[in-house]
Amino acid sequence: FHSQLPNYLPTKLVSLKGLAREWGLGELLIKDESTRFDLKAFKVLGGSYAVARLICRELEIDIEETSYRHLTSDTVHRSIKHMTLTTATDGNHGRGIAWAAQQLGLKAVIYMPKGTTRSRVESIRAHGASVEVTDRNYDDAVRLASSMAQKNGWYLIQDTSWEDYEDVPLWIMQGYLTMCREAVEQMTALNTEPTHVFIQAGVGAMSGAVVGYLANAFRDRLPRFIVMEPKNAACIFASAVAGDGQPHAVTGDLDTIMAGLACGEPNLIGWNILRDFPCAYISCDNYVAANGMRILANPVEGDSAVEAGESGAVGMGVTDLLVNATAFEELKQTLEMGPDSRLLFFNTEGATDPVNYQDILWYGKYPSV
């Protein structure tokens, strides 16, 4: 499906060979989503596929037997022009939905949590969507979008699931698999495979999709999966700590610079995967993500710079601590990280908040503690 979209190209798998040598590791591989469809984030993969599946269901056609060109045709538009899409978002998911709606000539209404930066609002409005910044946290904004969809007959395209709302979130997770498939094909071309996969989690949709796909792809040599979340929004971490196999929510403002991960309630589909496969769950302070951004933007000699936003860089920040901070030596040994380790990361966004990106890189905002 994605290969039919305008300007589709696989994103790069960046190898930081110089940094791997400096840190005493075998490989550092980064799937760089900062260039995906010029939208600076991977989220459009899930949103576009889910919207297409929704339209196909409305028209009672099989997505496997139709084409993107047909879905954007005048014939289809006349049948679906009544549809209004809605969702709640911290930024990247909403932009993906707005972009998909724009491609299909549909209306989109996007709800955003309090504290959302102007740049993220305007990037969504640029695709013709209506945007409302609420006075709620992310999870309450999701509830608002759901209630407005029911009230107005809109179509909810949300990337988290709950009882009786699983089809669309599953489609979104399936859409993310394009990123995973590209990464596996690129690693195969390099004759390598990961021993460790560092994956960040919000509600757990993307991380669940990635872990599920890679656990299947490398089932005979299962990598170690390390899940990372913001300290104030670590619902997957809290669920793992509870130890009862059930998803658990965290509440409050969910305040973090990792806006794309500021989610307090797990996606039930994602949790069923993240409950079973990862070997470590880590909650992270803001400075960890900020350090990761600085490291990726200022490469060692011979490596390429990577533009990584706050949510995309946290894995590199965690790895820096594991390799260079004595307080984390025991965890490094437990994870068996060393010269033969091949680490895979997913840079899920570029500089989606340009002002904060510059403040972090230029002026050292959120320094190490």
Side-chain angles (χ1 to χ4, degrees):
F1 172 79
H2 289 127
S3 66
Q4 301 175 60
L5 299 184
N7 303 315
Y8 166 78
L9 285 173
T11 56
K12 292 181 178 180
L13 184 69
V14 179
S15 178
L16 300 181
K17 296 180 180 180
L19 186 59
R21 286 194 299 270
E22 187 169 307
W23 282 358
L25 299 170
E27 282 186 294
L28 293 171
L29 300 170
I30 303 172
K31 183 60 172 166
D32 184 12
E33 293 294 298
S34 66
T35 60
R36 181 70 70 181
F37 291 119
D38 295 324
L39 297 176
K40 288 187 175 287
F42 78 103
K43 286 281 192 176
V44 66
L45 295 174
S48 61
Y49 183 68
V51 171
R53 286 289 299 263
L54 181 66
I55 290 172
C56 287
R57 186 166 70 181
E58 285 291 301
L59 300 178
E60 297 182 343
I61 58 178
D62 186 343
I63 194 169
E64 300 291 342
E65 298 177 0
T66 190
S67 67
Y68 176 77
R69 177 176 293 183
H70 176 64
L71 294 180
T72 56
S73 67
D74 291 340
T75 301
V76 169
H77 180 66
R78 284 193 292 269
S79 299
I80 65 171
K81 62 182 180 181
H82 66 283
M83 295 175 65
T84 296
L85 308 179
T86 191
T87 194
T89 182
D90 292 304
N92 296 332
H93 169 68
R95 189 178 185 187
I97 298 302
W99 181 87
Q102 184 181 46
Q103 302 298 310
L104 295 162
L106 301 178
K107 296 178 182 178
V109 179
I110 311 296
Y111 295 96
M112 306 189 77
K114 59 185 175 182
T116 299
T117 62
R118 179 179 295 275
S119 60
R120 291 192 171 110
V121 173
E122 294 305 321
S123 68
I124 294 174
R125 285 180 174 154
H127 298 289
S130 298
V131 180
E132 178 182 332
V133 180
T134 71
D135 61 355
R136 311 174 182 217
N137 67 18
Y138 169 80
D139 299 296
D140 287 336
V142 169
R143 280 183 271 276
L144 175 61
S146 178
S147 66
M148 294 302 289
Q150 292 177 357
K151 177 182 177 180
N152 297 306
W154 297 344
Y155 294 77
L156 183 67
I157 310 290
Q158 198 60 57
D159 53 351
T160 190
S161 65
W162 53 86
E163 188 176 353
D164 297 327
Y165 185 75
E166 294 186 342
D167 287 352
V168 171
L170 178 60
W171 295 338
I172 290 173
M173 291 177 69
Q174 289 170 339
Y176 296 157
L177 299 184
T178 289
M179 174 179 70
C180 302
R181 178 176 177 175
E182 290 175 1
V184 170
E185 291 175 347
Q186 290 163 329
M187 286 186 286
T188 299
L190 295 173
N191 195 30
T192 190
E193 59 186 48
T195 59
H196 299 74
V197 178
F198 287 75
I199 190 68
Q200 55 273 41
V203 296
M206 183 275 290
S207 50
V210 169
V211 171
Y213 189 96
L214 296 183
N216 186 63
F218 301 112
R219 66 178 70 184
D220 296 329
R221 299 165 301 280
L222 201 65
R224 292 174 175 84
F225 295 103
I226 298 94
V227 176
M228 306 159 299
E229 296 170 277
K231 186 175 182 179
N232 293 334
C235 59
I236 303 300
F237 181 94
S239 301
V241 167
D244 58 6
Q246 299 301 311
H248 291 266
V250 296
T251 58
D253 288 340
L254 311 176
D255 184 42
T256 172
I257 64 170
M258 293 167 266
L261 309 179
C263 311
E265 299 178 15
N267 176 313
L268 299 182
I269 305 170
W271 166 245
N272 287 337
I273 299 169
L274 298 176
R275 175 192 60 208
D276 297 337
F277 286 94
C279 65
Y281 306 83
I282 303 174
S283 68
C284 307
D285 284 304
N286 286 333
Y287 79 87
V288 180
N291 284 349
M293 294 166 66
R294 288 186 277 264
I295 291 167
L296 290 170
N298 296 276
V300 301
E301 185 175 358
D303 287 350
S304 299
V306 176
E307 179 190 288
E310 299 86 345
S311 297
V314 64
M316 193 57 61
V318 167
T319 303
D320 173 48
L321 290 175
L322 290 171
V323 171
N324 298 312
T326 55
F328 292 87
E329 179 65 26
E330 183 179 352
L331 179 55
K332 176 187 174 184
Q333 295 302 322
T334 300
L335 294 174
E336 299 182 358
M337 286 174 52
D340 296 325
S341 299
R342 300 176 296 277
L343 279 56
L344 174 64
F345 306 85
F346 289 83
N347 176 32
T348 48
E349 64 174 1
T352 55
D353 182 354
V355 174
N356 201 47
Y357 184 82
Q358 187 176 68
D359 285 346
I360 289 170
L361 263 60
W362 286 20
Y363 305 116
K365 192 176 181 181
Y366 306 108
S368 299
V369 295

